[in-house]
Amino acid sequence: MRSGKHWAALAVALAAAFVAESAFAQANNNGGTNNTTIIGNVPAGVLVSPDGVLRVKQFADKTGQLARTRAAEARAKLGADLAKPSALRKISLNRLEAAIAERLANGQEPTEEMKNLAGLTRLQYVFYYPESKEIVIAGPAEGFMALQMGRVIGVESGRAVLELQDLVAALRAFPPAGKQTHLISVSIDPTAEGLKAMQQWLNEISGKVRPGDASAIVAGLKEKLGLQNVTVEGISPRTHFAQVLVEADYRMKLIGIGIEPPPVKMATYVSRANPTEVSRNALQRWYFTPNYDCVRVTEDALGMELVGQGVKLIGANELVAADGGRVAAAAGSQASELYCKAFTELYPQIAARNPVYAQLRNLIDMSVAAAFIQKQDYYGQSGWKADVVLDEQQYPIETYEAPKTVETACTAIWKGSRLMTPVGGGVHIEPTDALQTSHLLKDDQGLVKAAHAEIKLGGLDKNQWWWD
């Protein structure tokens, strides 16, 4: 039996997160048919240990009975008004903070209603009202319930609910005065030492790989690459906001390399990859980024609407040097391009089936909204300093373990006579880019202005911070 000496290392990333892949040219002994081995589990969430290692966690609810029970309990617990679906629920940020401040002053935590922003499932509008000096956010809403891992979703649609702690994290990135956060990002990167050890090991086993060696190859790659580093920029890594970014990054990668089944039928990287087009040291990076053409603003700048699906997946190429360093490459990967295109086009359906991607969309929307509030100086116009929620001592949100490393995820897949072994690692958000003149959409038909005008604040009770 002849065996070749072709292999490849591929690093895949969202923002700057890399996934190493090796492909070995190997004559197989199965008569030319494809023999596919997939190693790994389907995660439902992630956990971060006290030492900062992120791992996947599964939860079983095959019949959906647990979710139905939780939904029934939530409907019974929530008040009728809060549980009722609303096409456009409004929240005054000024009033919400005042209500939170009152509870904290009395030694009480914010209510579940506050923590889950009255069940908003999407942030659609941001409005400012000069007469009452109030900043209002609005969007569709419904009753909500908590799933395993604490993920909160709507009881009717199953879509992820916006959370107060995430909105606060976004506002802290764009506060009334001081810093302006240009970049919010997560990357999961193999170390240069790990990549070098992997390259050396691949050289050692070149020409010795057989179809039955898939499990050993996976174990070897995990050992040589070791733990990969997690880097969070622009926000505290100890926030729920950061954990959602890391989970969305990590699980998108698992889908791409074939470990986690996609929530909808779609092209993945491994399903389309052709090992012959992957060179020995080729790397591929994947990024989640906002669709920056997502903001429609009124002429008087008193209102904005977030439009479109908001998220896209893009790719870029790099090469791995012998010492584990990375440099730009010219050639692209058709399989990677197809994966990015499929994920982007199907993002609404993916988010509807897997709440973490709806959460990612919510985080992006909240970041753009916070940047808009800061840019238009709604803080100054309203006199709202947000002293309570922007102060970690008064309202702590940095209560999570910071993810520092993640276990290498790997699968082994035979494609014809070649064994591909993709190894698993960002999210890259520049909220202010969505507010550049070149990206802003005009309110030509006056729909955002009309939505602004329809909202009335005069009849609200003193302590009422949300309404339909």
Side-chain angles (χ1 to χ4, degrees):
M1 177 177 65
R2 295 182 302 170
S3 56
K5 295 184 178 181
H6 304 287
W7 60 92
L10 174 71
V12 178
L14 309 160
F18 291 82
V19 176
E21 173 190 62
S22 61
F24 300 80
Q26 175 78 34
N28 67 27
N29 58 3
N30 60 0
T33 60
N34 291 348
N35 177 24
T36 301
T37 304
I38 299 180
I39 300 169
N41 295 315
V42 180
V46 297
L47 294 175
V48 181
S49 67
D51 57 351
V53 179
L54 181 144
R55 295 181 176 89
V56 298
K57 174 70 175 179
Q58 296 183 78
F59 293 95
D61 184 19
K62 294 181 180 180
T63 65
Q65 183 58 47
L66 178 59
R68 288 191 292 271
T69 300
R70 287 175 179 262
E73 292 173 348
R75 290 189 182 97
K77 183 179 179 181
L78 298 171
D81 290 341
L82 187 60
K84 181 179 63 177
S86 172
L88 194 67
R89 185 159 292 169
K90 301 91 176 176
I91 295 175
S92 166
L93 296 184
N94 318 59
R95 290 167 176 259
L96 172 59
E97 192 204 28
I100 292 170
E102 182 178 353
R103 289 189 64 84
L104 294 177
N106 293 327
Q108 300 172 304
E109 287 190 0
T111 64
E112 291 301 309
E113 188 175 327
M114 295 171 178
K115 290 179 180 179
N116 296 294
L117 295 176
L120 284 187
T121 56
R122 182 183 171 193
L123 199 166
Q124 185 175 356
Y125 295 105
V126 178
F127 296 128
Y128 177 62
Y129 293 89
E131 300 81 6
S132 59
K133 298 186 180 300
E134 294 193 60
I135 305 167
V136 175
I137 62 174
E142 59 188 87
F144 51 85
M145 63 179 181
L147 297 178
Q148 304 96 325
M149 302 284 292
R151 203 187 310 277
V152 182
I153 64 170
V155 296
E156 306 296 335
S157 68
R159 291 192 64 85
V161 168
L162 277 72
E163 297 189 37
L164 174 62
Q165 59 183 333
D166 297 329
L167 177 62
V168 169
L171 292 172
R172 289 181 185 181
F174 298 92
K179 68 174 183 176
Q180 179 188 78
T181 302
H182 179 65
L183 174 67
I184 298 172
S185 70
V186 162
S187 74
I188 303 175
D189 303 283
T191 64
E193 295 78 12
L195 288 174
K196 182 178 180 180
M198 180 191 70
Q199 294 280 46
Q200 292 175 343
W201 182 68
L202 294 181
N203 287 335
E204 293 172 4
I205 66 173
S206 176
K208 304 174 184 178
V209 179
R210 293 178 174 80
D213 296 334
S215 297
I217 297 299
V218 167
L221 286 170
K222 287 184 177 181
E223 177 188 356
K224 299 303 178 183
L225 276 169
L227 293 176
Q228 300 186 35
N229 294 328
V230 177
T231 304
V232 179
E233 295 184 13
I235 56 168
S236 168
R238 300 190 67 237
T239 59
H240 179 260
F241 194 118
Q243 295 225 336
V244 171
L245 293 184
V246 175
E247 181 182 350
D249 175 357
Y250 191 61
R251 294 181 65 183
M252 179 278 293
K253 170 200 61 186
L254 297 182
I255 291 173
I257 66 174
I259 291 180
E260 179 174 342
V264 299
K265 186 177 181 180
M266 61 179 290
T268 63
Y269 176 75
V270 293
S271 69
R272 298 298 182 90
N274 178 2
T276 62
E277 71 180 14
V278 182
S279 66
R280 170 177 176 174
N281 60 345
L283 301 175
Q284 180 67 47
R285 303 198 308 172
W286 296 329
Y287 307 77
F288 273 134
T289 70
N291 177 0
Y292 290 110
D293 297 323
C294 64
V295 178
R296 180 173 288 117
V297 182
T298 59
E299 188 175 354
D300 59 10
L302 294 180
M304 65 92 86
E305 180 183 13
L306 290 160
V307 299
Q309 66 184 43
V311 185
K312 61 182 177 180
L313 186 64
I314 61 175
N317 301 304
E318 289 190 346
L319 297 175
V320 173
D323 62 356
R326 303 188 296 249
V327 295
S333 164
Q334 185 178 18
S336 177
E337 291 174 2
L338 290 172
Y339 179 49
C340 291
K341 181 180 179 182
F343 214 111
T344 299
E345 292 179 349
L346 296 171
Y347 199 91
Q349 295 95 306
I350 292 171
R353 296 289 298 275
N354 192 324
V356 70
Y357 300 109
Q359 286 182 306
L360 175 61
R361 161 69 189 270
N362 290 342
L363 298 187
I364 289 175
D365 288 347
M366 285 187 274
S367 299
V368 173
F372 181 78
I373 290 170
Q374 185 192 64
K375 182 177 181 180
Q376 299 302 327
D377 193 26
Y378 285 176
Y379 292 113
Q381 292 186 60
S382 65
W384 183 45
K385 297 181 180 179
D387 290 331
V388 174
V389 295
L390 296 187
D391 185 354
E392 178 65 17
Q393 297 303 312
Q394 295 190 67
Y395 185 63
I397 62 171
E398 298 178 23
T399 58
Y400 294 75
E401 295 290 347
K404 299 175 183 177
T405 57
V406 63
E407 294 178 326
T408 292
C410 181
T411 182
I413 300 172
W414 281 96
K415 289 237 176 177
S417 61
R418 287 176 177 266
L419 177 66
M420 290 176 37
T421 52
V423 179
V427 180
H428 190 98
I429 308 169
E430 297 183 58
T432 55
D433 277 13
L435 306 179
Q436 298 296 322
T437 303
S438 59
H439 287 298
L440 290 179
L441 307 174
K442 294 182 179 180
D443 187 27
D444 292 329
Q445 298 181 358
L447 299 178
V448 183
K449 184 176 182 179
H452 178 277
E454 287 178 3
I455 295 178
K456 308 298 181 183
L457 294 92
L460 299 179
D461 294 336
K462 180 182 178 181
N463 297 323
Q464 186 175 357
W465 57 268
W466 73 265
W467 66 101
D468 289 331

